Amino acid sequence: MELPNPVDYAIPGFVLLIMAEMLVWRTRDRRRYEPSDTLTSLALGLGSTIAGFLSGGLVFGMAMWVHQYRLFDIGYAWYWFAVAFVLDDLAYYVFHRSAHRVRWFWASHVIHHSSQHYNLSTALRQTWTGFFSAGFLFRLPLFLIGFPPAMVFFVAGLNLVYQFWIHTEAVGRMPAWFEGVMNTPSHHRVHHATNPRYLDKNYAGVFIVWDRLFGTFEPERDDEAIRYGIVKQLGSFNLLWAAFHEWVGIARDMWAAPGVRNKLGYLLMPPGWSHDGSRETSEMIKQRWAETRAEGQEQGELAWNRPTSSSSAAAPAEARSPAG
């Protein structure tokens, strides 16, 4: 069975929604859209589309090859589409989490996070090297189970269409029941943040329940403004640098690293890992932030509990008393 690519049909809607969002922010806060940043995002999206077109036949051929060894024969009944959609989203969660924890996959995925702005055009900022980094491997188990490749690619397209609308600051929080199950703009803003509290959280594509189940969920807070981008910002709108800068960094690190083990570390360890400990991974950044925060709280409590005079010593105790 031949199925259409949902993304192809959604593109006109993407364009109209981006234009609508630009008009909204033009009247409210023009800083939300930066022309050079938006053009870079759109150009990266176009390049990603071309790269996908060139490599799509190879990916589909590999999917068909794996599918011939399938465990079950799954047909095209509507309920199998629903099951495939859920399992594909789980596969996307695993891929997405790996793309933040393994530098090889991060080298492709970092493109999507490289903008310091967060708007609908950011959703189109996609990789050119996804085939090279072999992110498609995470969907191969679906073909081995027995889901037809055409069905998997169709639901994967629906997944991408859904993810478009969550790249916005124009939408606040959704109803609690929706926030509890689905990925939303609020959840995904957290994922794009560089704040230590938010690093490596909310990997979901469609269903935020995966993050809640696997301990990677973090809610958006009203008392902490989000800073977007990557820990070490690009500092440039150069299209080629945006597309390939992390691959260049990997090549440089591997060339300079002593020994095969250290060289492989720059491929397989988390982003920020270094053989001499001179850099920080996201886990190290979060740990340092947590320690600093704990020290600050401890110092604040000590200052609160320290009496300044005999007449004022009882005031803090009264203030802390539940009875008043």
Side-chain angles (χ1 to χ4, degrees):
M1 178 179 290
E2 292 186 6
L3 294 170
N5 182 358
V7 177
D8 293 340
Y9 290 91
I11 288 176
F14 292 168
V15 174
L16 290 175
L17 287 172
I18 289 174
M19 293 175 64
E21 188 186 43
M22 292 177 69
L23 290 174
V24 168
W25 288 127
R26 185 175 180 85
T27 59
R28 296 183 181 180
D29 187 352
R30 296 192 178 192
R31 294 172 299 177
R32 304 297 178 122
Y33 268 88
E34 206 287 328
S36 296
D37 178 81
T38 302
L39 287 174
T40 300
S41 294
L42 296 177
L44 286 168
L46 176 61
S48 178
T49 301
I50 296 172
F53 177 79
L54 294 176
S55 61
L58 292 174
V59 174
F60 191 83
M62 187 174 298
M64 291 297 294
W65 181 81
V66 173
H67 188 247
Q68 68 179 328
Y69 300 105
R70 59 192 177 275
L71 301 176
F72 306 99
D73 284 315
I74 295 176
Y76 285 90
W78 68 267
Y79 47 83
W80 287 124
F81 278 90
V83 174
F85 185 81
V86 174
L87 293 181
D88 177 76
D89 194 55
L90 176 58
Y92 177 82
Y93 172 87
V94 177
F95 154 74
H96 199 183
R97 187 167 179 172
S98 300
H100 282 255
R101 306 304 301 151
V102 178
R103 195 180 180 192
W104 171 261
F105 297 123
W106 174 247
S108 284
H109 185 61
V110 66
I111 295 172
H112 183 59
H113 285 264
S114 59
S115 173
Q116 291 181 251
H117 297 267
Y118 193 74
N119 51 56
L120 291 176
S121 73
T122 307
L124 305 183
R125 184 179 282 240
Q126 297 292 334
T127 182
W128 294 4
T129 58
F131 178 78
F132 177 72
S133 61
F136 58 86
L137 293 176
F138 291 86
R139 284 192 168 98
L140 293 186
L142 297 177
F143 309 129
L144 187 61
I145 291 172
F147 290 99
M151 177 187 292
V152 174
F153 290 126
F154 177 76
V155 298
L158 293 178
N159 193 304
L160 285 177
V161 171
Y162 179 90
Q163 290 188 51
F164 174 79
W165 79 279
I166 62 177
H167 291 82
T168 183
E169 292 182 294
V171 177
R173 288 181 176 82
M174 307 298 289
W177 67 267
F178 195 83
E179 295 274 348
V181 177
M182 308 298 291
N183 199 8
T184 66
S186 177
H187 297 329
H188 206 58
R189 285 192 288 267
V190 166
H191 178 69
H192 276 257
T194 61
N195 312 48
R197 180 194 305 276
Y198 296 145
L199 285 176
D200 292 343
K201 298 292 184 180
N202 299 3
Y203 296 111
V206 174
F207 301 112
I208 199 66
V209 291
W210 308 126
D211 289 286
R212 296 184 186 275
L213 285 173
F214 300 124
T216 54
F217 176 72
E218 183 71 31
E220 182 181 23
R221 296 170 60 104
D222 294 326
D223 61 349
E224 184 169 349
I226 290 179
R227 302 185 300 274
Y228 298 108
I230 51 181
V231 172
K232 185 179 179 182
Q233 302 289 6
L234 276 182
S236 170
F237 295 117
N238 184 286
L239 187 63
L240 294 179
W241 183 243
F244 300 110
H245 72 277
E246 188 65 12
W247 293 112
V248 173
I250 288 176
R252 288 174 176 172
D253 289 337
M254 292 186 68
W255 179 264
V260 174
R261 184 175 182 178
N262 289 325
K263 293 182 186 299
L264 290 177
Y266 284 110
L267 281 178
L268 305 177
M269 296 300 286
W273 178 87
S274 58
H275 71 280
D276 57 2
S278 60
R279 309 176 196 171
E280 288 184 309
T281 64
S282 59
E283 289 299 322
M284 296 165 66
I285 292 172
K286 288 191 289 186
Q287 182 179 356
R288 177 167 54 83
W289 169 79
E291 292 172 351
T292 302
R293 186 165 173 263
E295 291 174 0
Q297 289 179 341
E298 183 179 353
Q299 292 174 1
E301 290 174 359
L302 290 174
W304 177 256
N305 291 322
R306 187 182 302 118
T308 57
S309 66
S310 59
S311 62
S312 64
E318 294 172 0
R320 295 193 304 274
S321 172

